[in-house]
Amino acid sequence: MSTGINEAAAADFGLAIVNPQHLYDPTPNGYSTVVITPAASRLAYISGQGGQDARGELSADFATQVRQAYANLSTALSAIGAEPRHVAKLTVFVVDHDMSKLAVLTSNVKELFGEALPAQTLVPVPKLAIDPMLFEVEAIVALPN
């Protein structure tokens, strides 16, 4: 019986991705059910990244904010010597979430992470820290020693 562990992903970057057979397959929506970090890793926590550019400017467009937030996450990962393949868990916050926003989120996650999809939780919220913010993403990263 298969456990649903993505063996190629586990061998490639040290995170074991598990999508159990008897649970809904979340990969079409851009996440995995379980991600196991290696015992010899250090954890890093990346604060919520919004859609602000380097000048602090924020587009009013949801898709633009999402794209920029994931670019900001990539920059934060690079700053600590990590890559998207080291991300174990994402938490995303979406203002006034509806199903039309899910396609935007999924395409951005799949573009950044490919098939090595981290565990992820989406939290619909009425408002974020700054009024024009529509999206924020935070990450837990397993850094190799």
Side-chain angles (χ1 to χ4, degrees):
M1 176 160 97
S2 171
T3 61
I5 294 178
N6 182 334
E7 298 294 344
D12 182 37
F13 56 86
L15 297 178
I17 295 173
V18 182
N19 288 305
Q21 284 183 333
H22 301 290
L23 292 179
Y24 161 79
D25 178 11
T27 57
N29 290 321
Y31 68 98
S32 295
T33 303
V34 178
V35 176
I36 303 168
T37 60
S41 64
R42 296 172 298 136
L43 293 181
Y45 299 85
I46 297 179
S47 295
Q49 299 300 302
Q52 298 91 335
D53 64 18
R55 296 181 311 275
E57 295 179 13
L58 192 60
S59 169
D61 178 64
F62 178 76
T64 301
Q65 284 194 28
V66 171
R67 192 169 35 259
Q68 183 63 52
Y70 281 108
N72 294 346
L73 176 60
S74 291
T75 299
L77 289 169
S78 293
I80 60 171
E83 299 174 11
R85 64 192 176 103
H86 297 121
V87 174
K89 171 81 165 65
L90 296 173
T91 303
V92 299
F93 303 92
V94 180
V95 173
D96 298 327
H97 176 64
D98 62 39
M99 293 308 288
S100 69
K101 294 178 180 176
L102 193 57
V104 172
L105 298 173
T106 300
S107 66
N108 278 272
V109 168
K110 287 184 172 186
E111 182 178 324
L112 182 60
F113 295 98
E115 291 187 21
L117 297 168
Q120 183 173 193
T121 299
L122 185 155
V123 182
V125 296
K127 183 176 177 175
L128 288 166
I130 301 169
D131 280 334
M133 281 181 73
L134 302 173
F135 178 78
E136 188 171 357
V137 56
E138 62 184 32
I140 299 174
V141 183
L143 297 169
N145 280 329

